[in-house]
């Protein structure tokens, strides 16, 4: 069984997610305070992002050591006692984590068969867990099933960029959306939005939502939560 997925995001009123362009939000020292404090209120000990977002927590791009001969290519659980998790997708093996945690959360990477043995050996030496989730691209349903099984996850918080969030939405894997709307009109062309699905949009492709709650926050921020009641079926 896969975990229940809540997509928690903070955007401008036009859906842009690059918050460092907006300046200071009244009532908050930094826009990240608004995001992190509301996310923590869910009490979910696992967050999931795509490669680009996960790279923000990564170290320098070191040269990989050679893997041992006859290296076993299978799922690797480095810390069976971990209670919280920072999960990132890395289909091509480009991340170079040298520590096994981010802010106290155990690092878990979703990889594909295309990654090298040298890369996997490096992750093992760093104490990072990884799960195989596809041949060339991350198979998202498989990834969620494996995460639920390997780490007993019942809930998962999606905090990715627009492309990864869009892929999750397109796959019908988002159960709830938690949306912080900041009173800013961004208007930036080419700036990522909350959900970016590539290609020409079909005539009917909307995931329908039901409002669960709405709360006025300091600084004119609106916090709304929605249940996904009809998933995208026309892509």
């Amino acid at each position: 069984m896969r975990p229940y997925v809540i997509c928690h995001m903070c955007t401008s009123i036009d859906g842009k997610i690059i918050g460092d362009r907006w300046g200071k939000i009244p009532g908050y020292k930094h826009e990240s305070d608004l995001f992190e404090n509301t996310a923590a209120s869910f009490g979910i000990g696992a967050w999931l992002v795509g490669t680009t977002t996960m790279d923000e927590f990564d170290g320098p791009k070191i040269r990989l050591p050679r893997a041992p001969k006859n290296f076993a290519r299978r799922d690797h659980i480095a810390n069976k006692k971990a209670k919280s998790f920072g999960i990132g997708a890395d289909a091509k093996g480009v991340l170079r984590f040298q520590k096994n945690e981010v802010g106290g959360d155990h690092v878990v990477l979703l990889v594909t068969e295309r990654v090298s043995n040298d890369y996997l050996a490096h992750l093992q030496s760093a104490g990072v867990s990884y799960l195989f989730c596809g041949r060339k691209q991350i198979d998202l349903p498989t990834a969620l099933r494996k995460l639920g099984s390997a780490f007993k996850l019942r809930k998962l918080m999606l905090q990715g960029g627009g492309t990864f969030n869009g892929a999750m939405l397109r796959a019908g894997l988002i159960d709830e959306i938690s949306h912080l709307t900041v009173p800013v009109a961004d208007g930036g062309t080419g700036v990522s939005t909350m959900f970016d699905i590539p290609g020409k949009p079909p005539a009917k492709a909307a995931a329908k939502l039901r409002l669960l709650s709405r709360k006025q926050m300091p600084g004119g921020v609106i916090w709304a939560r929605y249940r996904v009641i009809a998933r995208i079926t026309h892509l």
Side-chain angles (χ1 to χ4, degrees), residues 136-155:
K136 293 184 177 181
Q137 304 295 328
I138 302 297
D139 183 299
L140 294 172
T142 297
L144 291 192
R145 287 195 299 270
K146 282 196 168 190
L147 287 169
S149 176
F151 301 106
K152 311 303 179 190
L153 297 182
R154 300 182 66 183
K155 290 186 177 182

Side-chain angles (χ1 to χ4, degrees), residues 58-62 96-101 122 125-128:
D58 198 10
K61 302 305 182 195
I62 62 171
R96 295 291 184 269
F97 277 93
Q98 297 175 60
K99 297 181 179 180
N100 65 356
E101 64 176 42
H122 165 73
S125 67
V128 171

Side-chain angles (χ1 to χ4, degrees), residues 5-23:
V5 176
I6 301 175
C7 181
H8 180 67
M9 297 296 293
C10 179
T11 80
S12 63
I13 64 169
D14 50 338
K16 308 298 184 181
I17 62 175
I18 309 299
D20 57 3
R21 288 159 31 90
W22 305 336

Side-chain angles (χ1 to χ4, degrees), residues 45-132:
W47 48 270
L48 170 65
V49 298
T51 308
T52 301
T53 303
M54 200 64 173
D55 191 44
E56 297 175 7
F57 307 101
D58 198 10
K61 302 305 182 195
I62 62 171
R63 184 174 181 179
L64 295 174
R66 286 293 185 95
K69 292 183 178 179
N70 301 318
F71 183 86
R73 292 177 64 85
R74 55 175 176 260
D75 295 345
H76 175 69
I77 311 300
N79 184 358
K80 296 181 180 180
K81 296 182 179 180
K83 301 298 183 182
S84 61
F85 307 90
I87 306 162
D90 190 9
K92 299 178 181 180
V94 299
L95 301 177
R96 295 291 184 269
F97 277 93
Q98 297 175 60
K99 297 181 179 180
N100 65 356
E101 64 176 42
V102 173
D105 301 326
H106 178 59
V107 175
V108 180
L109 296 181
L110 309 175
V111 302
T112 66
E113 295 293 344
R114 69 196 296 182
V115 304
S116 69
N117 289 349
D118 294 347
Y119 169 74
L120 298 174
H122 165 73
L123 295 183
Q124 286 194 17
S125 67
V128 171
S129 296
Y130 55 82
L131 302 172
F132 283 96

Side-chain angles (χ1 to χ4, degrees), residues 218-231:
V221 176
I222 301 296
W223 184 13
R225 291 176 60 181
Y226 304 88
R227 185 75 162 86
V228 178
I229 59 173
R231 304 173 195 278

